[in-house]
Amino acid sequence: MTAPVCISASAAAAPARQTLPHPRLAPAGTSLYPSFASYVRARHPALLRTARSLTANPSDAEDLLQTALAKTYVAWERIEDHRALDGYVRRALLNTRTSQWRRRRVDEFACDELPEPEPRSGADDPAERQALRDAMWRAVLRLPARQRAMVVLRYYEDLSEAQTAELLGVSVGTVKSAVSRALGKLREDPELGLSR
C-alpha cells in the first residue's frame, strides 16, 4: 500500500485552521500554538487585515506584516501566554508602521514656495522646433536645383562630400563651393531670420 507523498497546501492547512480555536477562547496556561509556523498559518488572514488597515497599499501591508512577524519570531520563546500573541503582533505592526512613517518624514522638507520647473526655451518646444524645420525646408526649396540637391544630400541624407560628388557626377570642389553658396543664401533668407 502506498501513501500519498504530496498533498495540496490548502488541504494541509485546513485541518490546522479547523482545530485551532481563537486565542482568546483558549483556557489560561495552555499552549495554543505548538510552533510559530502553526500560529502564522492560523492567524495570517486576520493579521493581514490589520496590516491593510494601517497602509493604503496591499503590497506595503504584506511587507509590514512580514516585518512584524519577524520581530515576533525573535521573541517567540519569551512570550509565555500565547493568548497574547495577537496583541504582540498588532503592537509590532503599529510600532513598525510608526517607525516607517517617521523615517519617511525626515526625508521631506517643507518650503515656502513649491519649486517650479524652469520654463522651456523656444528650442525645447516641439511646436517651435517643427515651425523652424518647416521654415528651413521652405528656404531649401527656394534654392536653385543644383544647390538644393547638394544641400539635401549633404545635410538631410548625411552623405559625405565625396559621396555627394560621386552621386551627382561632379568634383568634390564643386560640391564644397556650391554648398558654401547655398548656406550663404540660407543665412540671408528673410523667413529664417525671423525664426532665429
Side-chain angles (χ1 to χ4, degrees), residues 7-56:
I7 58 174
S8 72
S10 59
R17 287 190 187 114
Q18 292 170 354
T19 59
L20 294 174
H22 192 277
R24 282 179 265 171
L25 302 177
T30 61
S31 178
L32 183 61
Y33 301 106
S35 68
F36 178 75
S38 64
Y39 170 72
V40 172
R41 274 195 305 272
R43 300 299 298 152
H44 186 270
L47 295 172
L48 186 58
R49 283 192 298 273
T50 303
R52 284 187 179 156
S53 69
L54 295 173
T55 63

Side-chain angles (χ1 to χ4, degrees), residues 92-170:
L93 284 167
L94 188 59
N95 290 345
T96 303
R97 182 64 185 138
T98 302
S99 296
Q100 290 172 347
W101 178 78
R102 284 182 181 153
R103 244 181 279 128
R104 191 180 70 232
R105 291 266 314 219
V106 171
D107 296 338
E108 297 173 3
F109 301 99
C111 59
D112 293 335
E113 294 180 21
L114 289 176
E116 295 293 331
E118 292 295 320
R120 300 176 94 181
S121 65
D124 290 340
D125 184 19
E128 289 293 325
R129 282 194 307 246
Q130 186 60 45
L132 182 60
R133 279 190 208 113
D134 291 345
M136 179 61 78
W137 186 247
R138 285 190 298 272
V140 168
L141 290 176
R142 286 191 288 273
L143 292 172
R146 187 172 174 165
Q147 288 179 0
R148 180 175 53 233
M150 291 182 188
V151 167
V152 167
L153 290 173
R154 280 286 291 127
Y155 297 105
Y156 283 88
E157 297 296 325
D158 202 26
L159 297 180
S160 69
E161 291 169 340
Q163 290 171 325
T164 303
E166 183 182 337
L167 191 63
L168 295 176
V170 296

Side-chain angles (χ1 to χ4, degrees), residues 136 139-140 143-144 147 151 155 175-190 192-193 196:
M136 179 61 78
V140 168
L143 292 172
Q147 288 179 0
V151 167
Y155 297 105
V175 172
K176 287 181 179 181
S177 63
V179 167
S180 176
R181 283 192 303 275
L183 292 177
K185 288 180 182 179
L186 290 174
R187 283 188 199 99
E188 295 171 0
D189 190 283
L192 291 178
R196 280 186 221 149

Side-chain angles (χ1 to χ4, degrees), residues 40-103:
V40 172
R41 274 195 305 272
R43 300 299 298 152
H44 186 270
L47 295 172
L48 186 58
R49 283 192 298 273
T50 303
R52 284 187 179 156
S53 69
L54 295 173
T55 63
N57 185 341
S59 298
D60 290 341
E62 290 174 7
D63 291 343
L64 180 64
L65 179 58
Q66 287 302 314
T67 303
L69 289 174
K71 290 177 181 180
T72 306
Y73 179 75
V74 170
W76 182 258
E77 296 300 322
R78 293 191 319 259
I79 302 172
E80 294 176 9
D81 187 4
H82 283 193
R83 292 179 301 164
L85 282 171
D86 280 355
Y88 187 92
V89 175
R90 283 191 190 105
R91 176 51 62 185
L93 284 167
L94 188 59
N95 290 345
T96 303
R97 182 64 185 138
T98 302
S99 296
Q100 290 172 347
W101 178 78
R102 284 182 181 153
R103 244 181 279 128

